Amino acid sequence: MNMLVWCLEVRELENNPHFNAGRGSALTSQGRVEMEACIMDGITKKCGAVSGLKTVVNPISLARLVMDKTPYVYLAFDGAEAFAMEQGVETADSNDHFITPENIEILKQEKEANITQLDFTQLTPKSLKKKKLAANGGSQFGTVGCVAIDNQGNLATATSTGGMPNKMVGRIGDTPIIGAGTYANTICAVSATGKGESIIRGTVARDVAALMEFKGLSLKEAAAYAVGSTPIGTAGLVAVSAGGEVTMPFNTPGMFRACATEDGYSEIGLWPSM
Ligand code: ASP
């Protein structure tokens, strides 16, 4: 799969309001959307990241333009919006475009409960049902991440998110931080989800690659170790290695995930595999 095709996959998920990215993003404490995204090419280690987007319809496309068209890695807030205008990427007339009734309701619930971030440890299939936040429901669990390898062994990763619901205005999570929520090199490609602050403190995505490189761990062992090193209930990831091994561990009660190969194998899951 070339980089363009796989970037389009993430755009599709951003356009789907059931995921916490693009339209359907989680709301800040002030009821607005501030989106972020990141993309990285494993061979060249070229990468692009964006934060604080309020009008860009597909944040991942802007991250890609940062990677391809600037000498920088990371643009945020007004500067990122100005770059989007300059590049002619699609923007919405207003931030309202990204706001869904489900996310207004989630923000209301979080404010009533006086919590700033969802407690992932408390979630079970039953509690999700009660909260009406099942698979196609609320978007708190729907940061979108994609890792890919092509038949030449080229690895790449992309992650896009609205961040944590009820986040402080200006808060930046793990997604756009290279080595935390997103990382790729010639060994593996990783995209993480969960509580950004835990993932940043644990440098989760980079740790997976480092454990493979310096300790000789397999992808599966390295990813399990990196996720297991974060506080319980705060992290999950999808990863693929240069050898084509795939792993999708999490220490949250569930994580939306799927995997597909060119020869027709596919796998999809939400709760831990039996
Ligand atoms: N990791 C994202 C953040 O903290 C949220 C998520 O993955 O759901 O911004």
Side-chain angles (χ1 to χ4, degrees):
M1 195 185 290
N2 71 36
M3 205 166 196
L4 182 63
V5 174
W6 140 88
C7 195
L8 290 175
E9 298 286 337
V10 174
R11 281 171 57 106
E12 279 301 309
L13 297 171
E14 288 177 335
N15 294 339
N16 184 326
H18 292 138
F19 294 96
N20 176 12
R23 187 158 171 267
S25 281
L27 305 183
T28 66
S29 58
Q30 295 189 359
R32 313 307 292 165
V33 160
E34 289 184 355
M35 299 164 285
E36 39 199 18
C38 188
I39 191 164
M40 185 162 189
D41 175 52
I43 295 236
T44 60
K45 293 223 185 93
K46 281 177 71 184
C47 45
V50 286
S51 277
L53 301 182
K54 298 186 175 93
T55 67
V56 176
V57 171
N58 291 112
I60 198 66
S61 299
L62 193 65
R64 171 123 197 225
L65 286 168
V66 171
M67 177 175 87
D68 288 342
K69 304 270 166 128
T70 80
Y72 311 114
V73 163
Y74 194 169
L75 291 178
F77 295 91
D78 290 352
E81 291 278 350
F83 178 62
M85 293 298 266
E86 183 197 304
Q87 292 293 317
V89 304
E90 188 183 359
T91 52
D93 290 339
S94 127
N95 197 248
D96 292 346
H97 166 82
F98 302 95
I99 300 175
T100 61
E102 288 80 10
N103 282 322
I104 293 174
E105 180 56 31
I106 288 165
L107 181 62
K108 193 169 146 248
Q109 284 175 22
E110 297 229 342
K111 281 187 181 282
E112 277 166 12
N114 197 22
I115 47 175
T116 50
Q117 294 184 334
L118 187 81
D119 185 354
F120 288 92
T121 60
Q122 299 306 309
L123 297 175
T124 60
K126 215 167 152 193
S127 72
L128 276 175
K129 214 167 159 197
K130 221 164 117 198
K131 282 171 174 258
K132 299 197 187 108
L133 296 173
N136 62 354
S139 60
Q140 280 140 314
F141 322 107
T143 283
V144 305
C146 183
V147 291
I149 182 167
D150 67 13
N151 53 14
Q152 316 280 307
N154 298 308
L155 291 154
T157 178
T159 318
S160 183
T161 190
M164 300 297 286
N166 203 16
K167 68 182 181 182
M168 190 174 166
V169 172
R171 177 264 191 189
I172 290 171
D174 59 298
T175 295
I177 298 182
I178 299 294
T182 308
Y183 188 75
N185 61 10
T186 52
I187 297 171
C188 64
V190 183
S191 173
T193 183
K195 191 167 172 179
E197 286 68 20
S198 294
I199 296 167
I200 294 169
R201 290 182 185 116
T203 56
V204 168
R206 170 63 195 157
D207 265 14
V208 176
L211 285 164
M212 292 178 75
E213 184 173 358
F214 304 133
K215 287 271 192 189
L217 266 54
S218 69
L219 179 80
K220 205 172 171 161
E221 290 165 343
Y225 188 92
V227 167
S229 302
T230 64
I232 189 85
T234 63
L237 60 82
V238 292
V240 61
S241 72
E245 188 187 6
V246 171
T247 191
M248 302 187 278
F250 48 95
N251 68 9
T252 49
M255 181 178 82
F256 295 107
R257 60 197 186 278
C259 161
T261 65
E262 246 174 20
D263 54 17
Y265 171 80
S266 74
E267 181 187 330
I268 186 164
L270 167 53
W271 305 113
S273 318
M274 289 301 149

